[in-house]
Amino acid sequence: MGGQILTAQYEPDLRQWASDLAELYASDTEQEDLSFLVEDLLSLTRSPINLNTARREDLERIFFLSDIQIENILFKRYVNGPFYSIFELQTVEGLPQETIRQMEPIVFLGSPVDKKQPWKMWGDIFLRSRLQLEKALGYEADEEEDAVFKGDRFKHYLRIEAQTNRPFSAGFIAEKDPGEPIFNTYLPGVDLTTGYLRYQPKAGWLREAVVGQYSMAAGQGLVVRSGMPARKSAMATSIRNRGPSFRPSLSASESTGLRGGYFTIGKGSIEMTPFFSLRHQSARIQSDSTGREWLTSIRTDGLHRTETELNQRHNVTEMAAGSKITYRDRWLTLEAGHLYYHLNKPLIPANELYNQFYFRGKTNQNTWVAYTMATRGILFFGELAMDEFSHPATWNGLVWEPAPGFSLALGYRSFPKKYQAPLAGPLSESSSFAGEQGLYVGMEWQLPGRWVVASYFDRYQFNWLKYQLNGPSNGYDWLLQGQKKLSGGQNLLVRYRHRQKPGNWTSQTPEMSLGTITHDQLKLQYTYNPEENWQSATIAQWHLVNNPEGHFRGMMLAQDLRVMALKKKLTVTCRYALFDANHFDARLYTYEPEVLYQFSVPAYSGAGSRYLLLINYKLKPYWHLWVRAGRWVYSDREESGSGYNLIPTNTKTEVTLQTRIKF
């Protein structure tokens, strides 16, 4: 059986994939909560996949495998029978050695029928605390009243997860954000506590049952996709929504995920999953003189620090319920489902022209059908969804490998402006995706000389106004990336991205007009990873923004160095970066070294320098410790932040302590 944990030898490869995706995700959505990536990595490293029994849905958990590579693995096993060695994967068409090496710690070769073994339990405990040393304005108390933030400056996190070689597993997390009170008169407990219990028998009509927090994905995400939606990235042909249909979740994101339960029953190729969720959300509420209350918006930041935020905490109940039925065979997967959504108070956003077609009221219903079909090196997929049995929305695509090492992806999406789905998360240009049409073309090519080239082009159109877009508009997004494996553990990456986006700007008249904003981004990265106990990475980025109101530019240069000592018990990583972005629109996003299973992709904005030190020490084989310190030094300002997060200095320093105990 393969390794049960992510070894240090392969960890950089998996984290490189996650860092690339995290950078693009953060720059597109400006969200820093990347806990969904943690979920993906943890689920893979804790539960390796048996290549000899895995279905397509199991292999889809391996995020760096393309759809065509998955189909080729399944076809090779179908023709030749079970794998007896990991090296047999070298005979799979379109599967390079680097990918096989990445797979090694997260797969194993087992017999189709597992033998009865004595009862065992394993898992881990994560404890993490983070502190910003400089005190923000919100923590300052005056003579007459308490500070605006009712809690201390620490961020605390606890995660416990246990698995057994029997059908049972369980998990629990607790989290407190900076400024949130804990165990006092403002909040008698911890702001976020959640967990799950899972029962997954190996035989019988009941295939899985989960109570607690879970994630769900259906089709292409047109109705429901909790966690991370599919995103455009340098994995240019990975545009299909490959999130697990259902799985227990320990994500710390308070606004995503479902809480309740589901169970899956099935026989042969058919299975059905009823699900139910009842969770408390935080919302902004207004009322009138008659006492009638309504929601103006649902908050998604998960912060409950001030009296206002605490009064808004969990003040609305959201219910979702439905069922999904799935048919699977060797080449075809069909699914259909229905979801009912309900709020205990009506949602009535402020009456603006751009949000005329946003979800309003208390209830909504969505129905969907989806398919995946593989035939002769082509994978077809798609979904058709309806809102209240009308306003059909669709996402259809294909992935094709016309020649070994060369694959293409095509995708077309069309969402009517009246289509509403509060829990949806499809691949789209806009988060408020209703009223959008788009055509996507992607390509990946493994060239001679160990070059890998990836590119995509996405053309989209908005058929209605958007936030800060005063009319129907269109744009496009183009990315080209080349990556070459050099000798001696060297790797070169070049990525260029050009975006032409619609936007408002102030003309010479008082009216607002639509114009075009262009973004040109270039990234160069050189990594050196010899067989010795050290690694280095040099990163350079440029970001140019051009619109009728001005030309803005941002640039960043960073040097990373990682050293391992004491027989690899001690690992020290440091970074020094210089950056200069003369406008917030020209900010740059770059992944930073972090403690295990955490992802940091801050915005480099303004001018200054960045220092970072990360230490990992293995006290025992089962006990690891991390210490991380990062510091911003700005040269273009005397204070940083804004509002209650204002810091009256030009520095910002953050310290993190994390420990992991495996059992």
Side-chain angles (χ1 to χ4, degrees), residues 456-494:
Y456 71 72
F457 180 84
D458 185 47
R459 177 77 178 182
Y460 56 87
Q461 176 179 320
F462 302 139
N463 298 323
W464 187 251
L465 289 67
K466 297 285 184 182
Y467 178 65
Q468 295 185 340
L469 283 177
N470 286 353
S473 54
N474 58 71
Y476 66 86
D477 183 359
W478 176 60
L479 180 141
L480 175 65
Q481 174 177 294
Q483 190 169 4
K484 180 176 175 59
K485 296 281 186 180
L486 304 170
S487 61
Q490 302 175 84
N491 185 51
L492 177 65
L493 182 146
V494 182

Side-chain angles (χ1 to χ4, degrees), residues 522 524-526 537-542 554-560 575-581 588 590 604 608-611:
L522 176 65
L524 303 177
Q525 178 173 300
Y526 169 76
T538 304
I539 305 166
Q541 284 197 83
W542 294 266
M555 59 187 68
M556 187 272 291
L557 179 65
Q559 178 63 52
D560 291 357
R575 164 175 288 189
Y576 177 65
L578 296 171
F579 59 95
D580 185 3
L588 305 113
T590 295
Y604 285 68
S609 55
R610 172 73 165 158
Y611 305 85

Side-chain angles (χ1 to χ4, degrees), residues 138-436:
Y139 297 101
E140 299 287 353
D142 57 32
E143 297 179 357
E144 298 181 357
E145 58 183 24
D146 296 335
V148 174
F149 293 158
K150 304 307 178 185
D152 59 37
R153 292 179 286 156
F154 284 94
K155 178 171 184 173
H156 296 303
Y157 174 86
L158 167 66
R159 177 184 180 124
I160 305 172
E161 195 163 17
Q163 292 184 317
T164 70
N165 60 347
R166 296 296 186 265
F168 300 98
S169 59
F172 171 82
I173 64 166
E175 185 189 54
K176 168 205 170 301
D177 289 316
E180 292 180 341
I182 182 172
F183 297 115
N184 61 21
T185 56
Y186 293 103
L187 191 63
V190 182
D191 181 59
L192 172 64
T193 56
T194 187
Y196 74 85
L197 295 172
R198 184 187 198 185
Y199 177 71
Q200 194 173 26
K202 296 181 179 179
W205 59 270
L206 178 62
R207 296 183 174 177
E208 184 183 18
V210 170
V211 176
Q213 179 168 277
Y214 64 95
S215 64
M216 178 183 175
Q220 286 300 108
L222 296 183
V223 173
V224 58
R225 178 66 166 98
S226 55
M228 187 194 76
R231 293 289 176 188
K232 294 176 285 186
S233 73
M235 297 178 67
T237 60
S238 296
I239 58 173
R240 186 167 63 91
N241 182 6
R242 282 175 30 177
S245 295
F246 293 90
R247 76 171 181 199
S249 173
L250 289 180
S251 170
S253 176
E254 297 184 38
S255 61
T256 60
L258 301 172
R259 295 187 185 181
Y262 68 87
F263 64 90
T264 300
I265 56 176
K267 184 176 182 181
S269 300
I270 298 178
E271 64 182 28
M272 184 175 68
T273 306
F275 59 90
F276 176 81
S277 172
L278 187 68
R279 62 177 179 174
H280 298 294
Q281 295 276 52
S282 300
R284 299 174 179 89
I285 297 180
Q286 287 189 3
S287 61
D288 57 21
S289 58
T290 65
R292 185 176 69 96
E293 292 185 333
W294 66 92
L295 315 177
T296 59
S297 63
I298 296 177
R299 295 182 52 222
T300 59
D301 56 15
L303 298 175
H304 305 104
R305 306 159 300 175
T306 67
E307 285 194 27
T308 299
E309 291 174 349
L310 287 166
N311 289 333
Q312 294 172 347
R313 180 178 182 268
H314 298 174
N315 57 356
V316 61
T317 302
E318 176 193 82
M319 188 269 283
S323 183
K324 182 173 80 75
I325 186 168
T326 306
Y327 168 80
R328 293 188 181 94
D329 68 10
R330 174 67 183 85
W331 310 107
L332 178 67
T333 300
L334 297 174
E335 72 172 59
H338 184 80
L339 182 144
Y340 175 78
Y341 180 85
H342 177 78
L343 297 171
N344 68 329
K345 295 182 177 67
L347 176 62
I348 306 176
N351 193 18
E352 301 287 349
L353 191 58
Y354 73 87
N355 67 12
Q356 292 300 300
F357 300 105
Y358 282 17
F359 168 67
R360 283 174 162 79
K362 285 186 175 184
T363 63
N364 192 75
Q365 296 186 67
N366 293 103
T367 304
W368 77 91
V369 292
Y371 67 93
T372 302
M373 182 175 64
T375 175
R376 296 185 180 180
I378 305 179
L379 185 74
F380 299 91
F381 56 91
E383 179 183 8
L384 172 67
M386 290 184 288
D387 160 28
E388 302 286 350
F389 302 101
S390 60
H391 315 127
T394 185
W395 216 121
N396 292 278
L398 64 87
V399 181
W400 177 38
E401 187 178 44
F406 180 74
S407 57
L408 290 171
L410 296 175
Y412 175 75
R413 60 191 185 271
S414 178
F415 315 136
K417 60 177 179 289
K418 293 184 178 181
Y419 179 74
Q420 298 174 352
L423 300 181
L427 189 153
S428 60
E429 176 65 24
S430 172
S431 57
S432 56
F433 55 85
E436 177 176 327

